[in-house]
Amino acid sequence: MNRSSPGEPLTHNDNAHHELIIRVRDLDLWYGESQALHGIDLDLYRNNVTALIGPSGCGKSTFLRCLNRMNDLIPSVRVKGSVEMEGRDVNDARTDEVALRRLVGMVFQKPNPFPKSIYDNVAYAPRMHDLVSRKPDVDDLVEQALRDAGLWDEVKDKLKQPGTSLSGGQQQRLCIARAIAVRPEVILMDEPTSALDPISTATIEDLMDRLKLQFTIVTVTHNMQQAARVADYTAFFHLGEVVEYNDTKTMFSNPATKRAEDYITGRYG
Ligand SMILES: Nc1ncnc2c1ncn2[C@@H]1O[C@H](COP(=O)(O)OP(=O)(O)OP(=O)(O)O)[C@@H](O)[C@H]1O
Ligand SMILES: [Mg+2]
């Protein structure tokens, strides 16, 4: 049995795994004087897709960036509270952020392949992290990542072409291949399909369904149908707080709070 926060028990779902991977407690974040996250408590489960939903500016991207310390790159940011991954505090000074970002990869709203070949987009990080060095091993890894990202058949004959020569949907799958090539534990996705057409969106949604067998996915979306389709758990953010966190079925069929219900049914947001 899982609890999201005191007083809000999660409904047990026999089909889902419940192994905790990331545990967030009492997380506050400020940009300068302005507080963007307020006392976030959230448990994220291995091999599940968790969707973060909520109106623009409620802190979804800010929260996502706390999970791999991307906020460190913004000088005005101050954080309090804990983000534990597999029992280790990611904000501990001893946690190496390069290693952390290998374990917690990220895919952004706008596909952003490196200005390199399709092959090198995927091979770059595994080489940098010394996961592979022999050419045949790199070849195998590139092929596997592209297969796992559902892109191999479309690119296998043009691996030397620039990543930017692909369509938007293909570029996003290339970015997913790049993220999974270093075998992360967790993949963060910030509105990964909002720049894509409906067919590419459906392809990525199918992909998320398969990738969660190997990885843990935390995704932000403004698309309620998408959250309902792909997510095992959904967290509703509002004004920098997690107002409700539940298994997706319950969240969408029987939300516990009026704010979540109003948002899900499109009454605001
Ligand atoms: N780099 C930054 N510097 C200062 N304030 C920021 C910065 N990034 C975000 N904020 C502020 O933090 C709050 C949360 O923003 P955030 O981008 O996390 O929201 P969001 O839920 O991802 O919104 P959207 O759905 O529009 O992407 C907002 O008030 C925003 O203005
Ligand atoms: Mg955002």
Side-chain angles (χ1 to χ4, degrees):
M1 191 65 190
N2 311 295
R3 279 189 323 131
S4 51
S5 57
E8 283 186 16
L10 280 174
T11 307
H12 186 69
N13 174 351
D14 286 330
N15 299 320
H17 304 270
H18 293 294
E19 190 191 337
L20 185 66
I21 182 163
I22 294 179
R23 176 189 166 97
V24 178
R25 284 295 176 276
D26 212 12
L27 183 71
D28 296 323
L29 181 145
W30 291 261
Y31 292 107
E33 297 291 293
S34 158
Q35 188 168 359
L37 297 178
H38 301 261
I40 308 280
D41 290 330
L42 210 59
D43 288 342
L44 299 169
Y45 298 101
R46 189 185 290 283
N47 299 114
N48 280 268
V49 177
T50 301
L52 312 181
I53 63 170
S56 184
C58 67
K60 305 177 297 296
S61 298
T62 300
F63 174 75
L64 208 60
R65 290 194 297 265
C66 289
L67 304 181
N68 67 351
R69 279 176 60 180
M70 290 272 285
N71 288 317
D72 284 13
L73 307 172
I74 306 170
S76 69
V77 164
R78 194 160 53 86
V79 181
K80 236 185 72 198
S82 72
V83 178
E84 276 178 16
M85 178 163 168
E86 297 179 320
R88 287 183 50 194
D89 189 346
V90 310
N91 289 312
D92 190 308
R94 285 164 299 184
T95 302
D96 173 45
E97 70 253 31
V98 176
L100 175 66
R101 289 186 199 126
R102 181 180 87 70
L103 289 178
V104 186
M106 192 147 184
V107 174
F108 298 87
Q109 177 171 15
K110 202 166 155 279
N112 59 348
F114 300 136
K116 293 176 184 295
S117 68
I118 293 167
Y119 183 98
D120 284 335
N121 260 277
V122 182
Y124 179 80
R127 278 188 184 129
M128 189 187 76
H129 287 285
D130 281 327
L131 301 183
V132 278
S133 53
R134 290 175 53 242
K135 171 88 166 92
D137 295 339
V138 182
D139 287 351
D140 284 350
L141 188 150
V142 167
E143 174 170 345
Q144 192 56 51
L146 287 167
R147 281 191 187 282
D148 288 347
L151 190 58
W152 176 250
D153 289 337
E154 290 156 73
V155 301
K156 62 176 188 279
D157 299 323
K158 49 179 181 180
L159 293 172
K160 293 280 173 273
Q161 287 184 21
T164 49
S165 66
L166 298 171
S167 75
Q170 289 173 325
Q171 286 187 30
Q172 197 61 309
R173 280 179 283 146
L174 178 62
C175 293
I176 291 171
R178 180 176 71 183
I180 64 184
V182 293
R183 314 307 301 169
E185 297 270 343
V186 180
I187 308 172
L188 311 176
M189 300 186 173
D190 199 347
E191 304 186 44
T193 64
S194 64
L196 305 181
D197 65 84
I199 289 172
S200 300
T201 296
T203 306
I204 301 245
E205 288 180 4
D206 289 345
L207 192 54
M208 290 165 82
D209 228 28
R210 278 186 283 123
L211 288 175
K212 77 176 184 188
L213 301 174
Q214 298 182 61
F215 308 101
T216 302
I217 298 178
V218 187
T219 186
V220 172
T221 183
H222 283 278
N223 178 331
M224 294 303 102
Q225 286 76 25
Q226 177 166 91
R229 277 192 298 263
V230 305
D232 301 289
Y233 292 100
T234 300
F236 171 66
F237 281 66
H238 189 224
L239 300 174
E241 289 179 43
V242 175
V243 171
E244 186 166 342
Y245 179 43
N246 222 326
D247 66 89
T248 300
K249 234 191 184 153
T250 305
M251 176 75 96
F252 281 87
S253 61
N254 190 19
T257 62
K258 177 138 189 349
R259 277 195 280 176
E261 182 180 1
D262 284 352
Y263 181 74
I264 288 165
T265 55
R267 273 195 274 273
Y268 72 75

